[in-house]
Amino acid sequence: MSKLSEQDIEKKLLHFPDWDYFDNAIHAEFEFENFKDCFSAMSRIAFECEAQNHHPNWSNVYNVLTISLSTHDAGGVTNKDFKLAEAIETIVEPVE
């Protein structure tokens, strides 16, 4: 998996309005109703991460989940990160 150029990353981010690119990773922050809802989303995301064998840097404070994605083996952001970001978006903001 090869590292994407900054131009390619910015272009892909047009489809991910909740995400930003800085510090060689894509980042998002999601706010939930309460801690239980946040932790539930984290659990669902964890299963998806295992399925994709790609794991985020993330943190949780009460009802806020902060996620950073970067492919360490490639030294930056790859398509693998955007694939996981897309799955995370589906989990945290399901289409009704």
Side-chain angles (χ1 to χ4, degrees), residues 12-13 24 27 41 45 57 59 64 66 69 74 82 86-87 90 92:
K12 285 182 173 288
L13 283 175
N24 211 26
H27 307 266
I45 291 167
N57 290 330
S59 64
V64 177
T66 305
L69 299 176
F82 281 100
E86 184 174 21
T90 302
V92 299

Side-chain angles (χ1 to χ4, degrees), residues 6-72:
E6 193 166 330
Q7 192 173 34
D8 288 339
I9 293 166
E10 294 297 339
K11 192 174 182 180
K12 285 182 173 288
L13 283 175
L14 295 174
H15 302 287
F16 294 87
D18 293 329
W19 296 78
D20 294 305
Y21 173 68
F22 57 91
D23 294 338
N24 211 26
I26 55 174
H27 307 266
E29 187 173 279
F30 300 100
E31 187 172 342
F32 297 86
E33 190 81 21
N34 51 50
F35 175 76
K36 180 184 67 148
D37 291 347
C38 185
F39 194 82
S40 175
M42 290 178 72
S43 295
R44 293 190 312 266
I45 291 167
F47 281 100
E48 183 62 35
C49 293
E50 281 297 303
Q52 292 190 27
N53 193 29
H54 192 44
H55 305 89
N57 290 330
W58 63 0
S59 64
N60 160 246
V61 177
Y62 182 57
N63 67 330
V64 177
L65 172 59
T66 305
I67 301 175
S68 298
L69 299 176
S70 181
T71 305
H72 302 290

Side-chain angles (χ1 to χ4, degrees), residues 1-4 8 12 52 54 71 76-85:
M1 183 82 31
S2 60
K3 179 179 168 181
L4 296 171
D8 288 339
K12 285 182 173 288
Q52 292 190 27
H54 192 44
T71 305
V77 177
T78 67
N79 284 322
K80 196 173 187 179
D81 299 300
F82 281 100
K83 182 179 178 192
L84 183 53

